[in-house]
């Protein structure tokens, strides 16, 4: 796994041992960031939930995001190591705790981009979206980028709207979501 573009372009990231995480493939991450090419990263606040290696948030930092908060109770040390490999200094925070507790602690803060990649088929996708909306974590005009199994449907909800879906391989889908609460 490597950083694709920006200040840390080409840096190789450390990967976890074992099967606790399922890192987003380089080609999927590259496709996602190509879709987001028109988005402004400069100065953006980013949240990376179920971060694993931290590759999505680190890619955003490399492209100019001002800060990123990483949440993963399995790999906080690995995320810190990868952030240091990329020389991101004080531009990141790592919450090494269960996602629901971390999101509750972040209440009052907002993020322009929220990446979430929960373990597949564990009923975490919709709960995570609802918590993001309930805690008001998504800034006006911001995006949730939810990576999930094709088997996990995201139903219509008055809290948010699905603006795009993109499938990758046999099992992966990324859903682009905006909050209705923000008037978008």
């Amino acid at each position: 796994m490597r950083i694709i573009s920006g200040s840390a372009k080409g840096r190789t990231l450390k990967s976890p041992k074992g099967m606790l995480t399922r890192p987003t493939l380089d080609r999927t991450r590259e496709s996602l960031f190509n879709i987001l090419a028109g988005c402004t990263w400069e100065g953006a606040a980013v949240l990376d939930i179920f971060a694993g290696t931290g590759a999505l948030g680190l890619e955003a930092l490399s492209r100019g995001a001002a800060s990123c908060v990483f949440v993963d109770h399995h790999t906080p040390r690995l995320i810190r190591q990868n952030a240091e490999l990329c020389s991101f200094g004080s531009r990141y925070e790592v919450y090494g705790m269960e996602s629901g507790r971390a999101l509750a602690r972040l209440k009052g803060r907002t993020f322009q981009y929220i990446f979430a990649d929960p373990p597949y088929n564990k009923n975490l996708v919709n709960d995570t979206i609802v918590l993001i909306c309930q805690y008001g974590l998504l800034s006006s005009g911001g995006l949730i980028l939810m990576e999930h199994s094709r088997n996990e449907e995201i139903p219509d909800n008055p809290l948010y709207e699905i603006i795009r879906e993109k499938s990758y391989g046999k099992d992966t889908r990324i859903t682009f979501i905006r909050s209705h609460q923000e008037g978008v």
Side-chain angles (χ1 to χ4, degrees):
M1 293 189 28
R2 63 182 175 77
I3 299 294
I4 297 161
S5 185
S7 65
K9 181 179 179 176
R11 297 266 169 82
T12 301
L13 302 177
K14 293 181 178 188
S15 294
K17 293 180 170 100
M19 298 299 290
L20 271 179
T21 63
R22 174 196 29 77
T24 302
L25 299 174
D26 282 357
R27 67 178 178 267
T28 302
R29 196 163 19 93
E30 185 168 15
S31 173
L32 172 62
F33 278 89
N34 284 341
I35 292 168
L36 298 171
C39 296
T40 303
W41 293 103
E42 273 317 304
V46 176
L47 175 59
D48 190 349
I49 311 167
F50 305 100
T53 63
L56 291 167
L58 295 171
E59 186 71 42
L61 287 171
S62 182
R63 291 171 185 245
S67 64
C68 184
V69 174
F70 296 93
V71 174
D72 198 306
H73 70 283
H74 292 296
T75 60
R77 185 170 176 235
L78 177 67
I79 294 166
R80 286 184 190 94
Q81 289 172 346
N82 283 333
E84 292 306 315
L85 282 172
C86 295
S87 302
F88 289 137
S90 63
R91 293 172 51 201
Y92 70 94
E93 299 171 60
V94 179
Y95 284 62
M97 63 184 68
E98 184 271 324
S99 62
R101 280 184 47 219
L103 296 178
R105 284 191 179 183
L106 291 168
K107 185 177 181 176
R109 294 175 66 177
T110 60
F111 302 89
Q112 285 80 29
Y113 302 97
I114 300 177
F115 296 102
D117 185 6
Y120 284 6
N121 302 312
K122 301 284 186 189
N123 298 318
L124 294 169
V125 171
N126 293 300
D127 292 344
T128 301
I129 296 168
V130 169
L131 287 175
I132 290 167
C133 293
Q134 282 179 346
Y135 293 135
L137 300 176
L138 188 62
S139 68
S140 178
L143 280 175
I144 300 170
L145 302 129
M146 178 62 72
E147 183 174 337
H148 57 101
S149 166
R150 287 186 188 195
N151 299 328
E152 296 173 290
E153 292 299 322
I154 299 175
D156 290 333
N157 188 304
L159 294 175
Y160 57 81
E161 69 176 315
I162 295 170
I163 60 171
R164 181 177 184 164
E165 290 187 318
K166 175 95 169 120
S167 294
Y168 296 92
K170 292 185 280 187
D171 196 36
T172 299
R173 181 185 309 170
I174 297 180
T175 302
F176 297 68
I177 301 165
R178 289 210 176 155
S179 175
H180 276 309
Q181 290 178 328
E182 299 299 336
V184 178

